[in-house]
Each structure stands twice: as structure tokens, then as C-alpha cells.
Amino acid sequence: MPAYDSLLASITTDAVSARDVFDPATGELIGRAPLLTSAEADAAVDRAADAQAAWAALGHEERSAVLHRAADAVEAQSEALAQILSREQGKPLNGPNARFEVGACVSWLRVTADTPTPTQVVVDDGSDYAELHYRPIGVVGAITPWNWPMMIAIWQIAPALRMGNTVVAKPSEYTLLSGLALIAVLNEALPSGVLIAAPGDGGIGAGLVANAAVGKIMFTGSTATGKKIIEASAGNVTRLTLELGGNDAGIVLPDVDPEAIAEQLFWGAFINTGQTCAALKRLYVHDDVYEAVCDALVEVASSMPMGIGLDEANVLGPLQNAMQFDVVDRLVEAARRSGARVLLGGDPKRDQPGHFYPATLIADIDPTNDLVVEEQFGPVLPIVRYTDLDEAITLANGLDVGLGASVWSADRDRARDVAARIEAGTVWINSHGGVHPMIPFGGVKQSGYGLEFGVDGLKAASVPQVING
Ligand code: NAD
């Protein structure tokens, strides 16, 4: 049996408690994903708790070696994983999509395995001596969204395991097969009970948050769900890392070369067909270069093939689900009704299968329009014209979220000055959305709290302990 078929067969079920999974590009049935009951999810937490002490006792060196073996397993199954991801999530194999995502899982596992332990001597002055250690928390609950279902799961699982925790991972109900396939492959290398999948809907996630044996929740998803988790965490003072929604602004200064930046701008906004937390979601362009930037973006966007993910030619795919299609559709209609200029797209073919929404660029839009101030999470970019940089910065900072942002300029120092005035967890200069396993990532304002990646990410997956004396 080809690798894709055998991996898919190993994670699908004909049990009654299961969910049919459909390809968002064609509507075809791909398989049936098992769903846990609340009692089964609690039993998974118990098993993870039982396995934790032995896993922690292995020590950093051995756990790092196991993480490398897990990375080997993902590498060996990378094409089967990419195909399951592409069929279920919709993202094409090529471009910054399915193969890229599986490749990122391998890199994050390896770099997380090799990151030095955060332990440090904090005072050693002859009279006082203190060390700061980072100990395992116990069981970590890892709750993920549907847009990057494998990569985001690894962002939570890898540091949690590295620091000696065991993990119960709950994939999004929209991308159960992607989550289950990844965990099945990782488990080829991990000891039993160290990483357990808890497939289910939001109720299973809420059960993890409420479970007293779960010491930390690492959550990536919407701000609305994040707020529920904050409230529910109060009961057991459960620790939280929250990577929540964003509505990233980009500010283009008048000194740019529009054609030179157009492709980077495009991918900043349209990576994963716009379904990315830290994608460029509203662009503010100076009047001097406004028309030239719009023209260059239209040229790039028109050349990007969209279609079924398994077709090697495509780099844009469908939206993952009908709910997200409706959000995008509503926001584009709101923009059109307001008199904004549709430069490209905005005309989905409603009589064809799949949740395809074409790449859409909207110009001359009021900065208070819903398409600008709400997170569209799809292949649409509103382009706002400005003349006064202070006003553009005020608009960029005017929302209650602050995940990422970008500044585009030929003058790096000037761009850095503007970046320092923007309220966002990351500000990129002349690019948008790139992440690196050693560079801390996290939001401000209602985009959440806590950092992921690198040494800071390891600290966040553990509890500090001072040894004084
Ligand atoms: P969502 O909040 O609807 O769901 C995320 C996960 O939470 C799912 O697994 C869901 O089953 C679970 N869940 C739902 N209710 C729960 C509850 N009460 N308790 C515990 N878990 C619960 O988000 P989504 O629609 O899957 O993802 C899209 C959103 O995620 C966007 O807003 C996007 O910006 C954000 N996101 C943020 C980041 C980041 O790093 N900051 C990354 C990716 C996506």
C-alpha cells in the first residue's frame, strides 16, 4: 500500500463516534476520524500523567535524542503527511504550504532538541549563590487550530516534551486527520504515553483546561476561545500560553520600489491562502506610491495559480471550511458596498465544488471598513491610502490585537524607528510573517501572552525553580 494510504488507514475508523472528513477542494469524502468521549479524554490525561516521571527522568540529552528520532520519522513519512494535510486542510503541496509545513515540523523538532537548557546561575558573588532551573510542569494540554494543523502542533509539542512534560494534544475538529497522522508518526519514536492524541471538538478542549492533572495549556486559536480558556483556567490556576488572533498591519513608506517588494507583500498576505495568524491583513500605502504598489500587487496576484492542493502547479488553495468562506464573502461584500475599488477577484464561482475564494485586492477603502478592522483570515487584502505617517501608525495601533506588523522602506533605520512605534509582538522590516525556531514569537494586547520558540519557548513549557545556597 502506498505510504499515504497506509498512514490514512491507520488513523481512520469505522467506529460510531467519528466524524466524516471532506476534501475542501472537491467535497469528496477522505475518511472518518475518531472522536473521544470526555471520559476517554480524561483517561488520556491519566495515562500521560503516569508516563511523565519516567520521561522526565530520561534527562535532557536522551529526550533530545528521542526528539531527533521523531524528526527522522516525520522526514521518512513527509510526503504521506503532506498529502493528508493537503487533502484535509486544502493547502497545495507546493508554495509555502503542505510540504513547507511538514518541513517546518522537522526543523522545529531538531532545533528544539538542540536548544541549550535555560538553566542559569543568577547570583554568584562570594556571599550569595543562586541558580534558576526550569522543571517539568507535568501534563501539558496542547490545543490547536485548523490553519497550520501540523506545524502549530509541533510548536507546542516539541518544547513541552523537551522540558520533560508529557502531552495530550487536541487537534482542531476541522483538521483531525492532520493532527492524528502527525501524532501517529511522532509516536513511532516516542515512548508510550508521552504524547497522546485527544481528537474532538471544543468540549474536549474545555475538558483538558478543566482537568486538574493538566498543569499547562498551550493554546493557539481565536481570541474568543482564548478568553474562555482564561476564565476556565482560574479553577486550578492552570498555566497558559495563548497565541490568539491577529489583524496585522503593514505600512509602506514612500521610498520603496513597488515592483521590488510586490512579491514579498503578496506572500505576506496570501501565505496559506490568507489563513495565517500572522499574515498581512491590512496594508497602509503612502499616496506617492499607492497606485504603483496596487498595480504591482495585481500583477503578482494574477500570476498565482489556485486550485486543488494535490495538483503540483497550484500555490493557492480553497478555504478550509464553509464558515471561513462566509466570513471572507461577507467582508468583501461590505467593502464593495462601501464603494471601495475591487482591483482583483471578489467574484467566487459559487456553482463549483470547493470553498474557493479568488485572490482579492481592494483599494480606496475606508480605514474603518469591516474588511480592515476585522480579521478576514482568507485571500483578501484591503489597501488603505495614507499621506501622514503618524496617522498610518495610529491606524495600525488602533485595534485591540497586536500579533505582527511590518514596515516597508528602502531606509532600514527609518523603518526601525517606525517599527518601534507599532504595538505588535513582532515587527518585520521589508517582509512579513517569517518565523524561525530560535526567534521568540508571541502577541501583545488581545493577541495573547507568552512566548514560543527558542530558549524563551523552553522556559514557557516549564516551571521555574530557584536553588538558593
Ligand atoms: P478556535 O478558537 O475556534 O479553535 C481553536 C481550538 O480551540 C480548536 O481545537 C477548538 O476545538 C478548541 N476549542 C474551542 N472551544 C474551546 C474551549 N472552550 N476550550 C478549549 N478549547 C476549545 O480557532 P480556529 O478557528 O481553529 O483558528 C483560527 C484563529 O486562530 C484565528 O483567529 C487565527 O488568527 C488564530 N491563530 C493564531 C495563531 C497565533 O500564533 N497567534 C496561529 C494560528 C491561528
Side-chain angles (χ1 to χ4, degrees):
M1 227 193 304
Y4 166 83
D5 293 327
S6 60
L7 184 56
L8 188 63
S10 75
I11 54 166
T12 49
T13 178
D14 48 16
V16 178
S17 175
R19 181 177 165 131
D20 286 336
V21 179
F22 299 96
D23 183 331
T26 62
E28 282 167 22
L29 183 70
I30 307 168
R32 239 172 116 65
L35 297 171
L36 296 197
T37 62
S38 298
E40 287 168 333
D42 285 343
V45 173
D46 291 344
R47 270 194 294 135
D50 289 346
Q52 193 266 328
W55 174 244
L58 286 183
H60 274 289
E61 211 171 304
E62 183 51 27
R63 286 198 303 272
S64 290
V66 175
L67 286 188
H68 275 295
R69 291 202 287 278
D72 295 342
V74 173
E75 237 168 0
Q77 292 266 43
S78 58
E79 194 55 22
L81 286 168
Q83 286 179 18
I84 288 174
L85 177 58
S86 178
R87 288 216 69 192
E88 184 185 51
Q89 204 285 333
K91 62 183 70 191
L93 290 173
N94 289 322
N97 292 301
R99 288 182 178 130
F100 166 86
E101 179 166 354
V102 176
C105 292
V106 175
S107 320
W108 253 265
L109 281 164
R110 295 206 189 286
V111 174
T112 306
D114 293 340
T115 302
T117 55
T119 304
Q120 65 183 112
V121 175
V122 283
V123 174
D124 181 10
D125 61 7
S127 57
D128 284 297
Y129 181 84
E131 294 167 348
L132 185 53
H133 291 260
Y134 288 85
R135 308 292 191 203
I137 302 163
V139 179
V140 167
I143 304 177
T144 38
W146 48 262
N147 57 340
W148 292 90
M150 293 188 182
M151 185 172 77
I152 291 176
I154 285 290
W155 290 356
Q156 301 173 346
I157 291 167
L161 292 181
R162 165 69 201 280
M163 294 310 288
N165 307 286
T166 51
V167 176
V168 177
K170 195 207 85 63
S172 166
E173 55 272 44
Y174 290 101
T175 47
L176 293 165
L177 296 178
S178 301
L180 289 168
L182 176 73
I183 289 166
V185 171
L186 294 170
N187 271 325
E188 290 173 14
L190 296 171
S192 173
V194 161
L195 172 62
I196 304 175
D201 61 11
I204 295 294
L208 285 180
V209 182
N211 192 314
V214 174
K216 169 138 193 169
I217 293 289
M218 299 181 77
F219 172 76
T220 301
S222 63
T223 298
T225 305
K227 288 180 182 178
K228 288 186 199 161
I229 290 176
I230 292 168
E231 283 182 24
S233 72
N236 299 315
V237 195
T238 306
R239 285 167 167 72
L240 301 176
T241 291
L242 300 173
E243 296 285 0
L244 308 180
N247 192 346
D248 290 11
I251 299 181
V252 178
L253 303 190
D255 63 1
V256 297
D257 174 349
E259 287 188 6
I261 62 168
E263 190 157 343
Q264 287 270 31
L265 277 176
F266 174 81
W267 281 119
F270 290 83
I271 181 168
N272 199 29
T273 313
Q275 303 158 104
T276 299
C277 51
L280 180 51
K281 290 172 182 154
R282 47 196 174 114
L283 186 62
Y284 300 90
V285 180
H286 192 273
D287 187 48
D288 287 359
V289 286
Y290 189 82
E291 294 304 333
V293 168
C294 287
D295 290 349
L297 269 171
V298 168
E299 192 168 334
V300 173
S302 328
S303 71
M304 297 292 175
M306 174 182 280
I308 292 171
L310 294 186
D311 180 336
E312 299 278 346
N314 293 325
V315 293
L316 298 173
L319 289 160
Q320 202 280 327
N321 53 67
M323 168 191 74
Q324 201 58 43
F325 181 97
D326 291 344
V327 169
V328 170
D329 201 24
R330 171 177 62 80
L331 291 174
V332 172
E333 286 314 311
R336 200 197 305 270
R337 266 200 314 280
S338 76
R341 188 160 50 111
V342 181
L343 298 174
L344 183 73
D347 52 350
K349 296 187 177 56
R350 297 173 198 277
D351 54 347
Q352 291 182 8
H355 309 304
F356 286 102
Y357 201 97
T360 299
L361 295 165
I362 308 244
D364 294 330
I365 184 166
D366 188 276
T368 62
N369 190 277
D370 286 353
L371 176 60
V372 180
V373 298
E374 286 183 34
E375 185 186 30
Q376 69 276 50
F377 218 62
V380 181
L381 182 64
I383 311 169
V384 177
R385 191 191 296 263
Y386 78 86
T387 47
D388 174 16
L389 179 59
D390 289 340
E391 192 199 339
I393 294 170
T394 302
L395 288 170
N397 290 338
L399 303 183
D400 56 13
V401 285
L403 189 55
S406 55
V407 183
W408 304 73
S409 171
D411 180 342
R412 184 166 170 267
D413 291 337
R414 189 161 176 231
R416 287 168 61 88
D417 288 344
V418 175
R421 296 172 61 195
I422 296 182
E423 297 161 2
T426 301
V427 185
W428 289 274
I429 292 172
N430 293 328
S431 68
H432 195 114
V435 286
H436 183 290
M438 286 304 288
I439 301 178
F441 179 73
V444 301
K445 300 185 351 191
Q446 293 192 23
S447 291
Y449 46 74
L451 285 171
E452 296 189 284
F453 314 161
V455 178
D456 292 286
L458 294 185
K459 289 180 181 175
S462 47
V463 277
Q465 181 192 44
V466 172
I467 301 286
N468 191 336

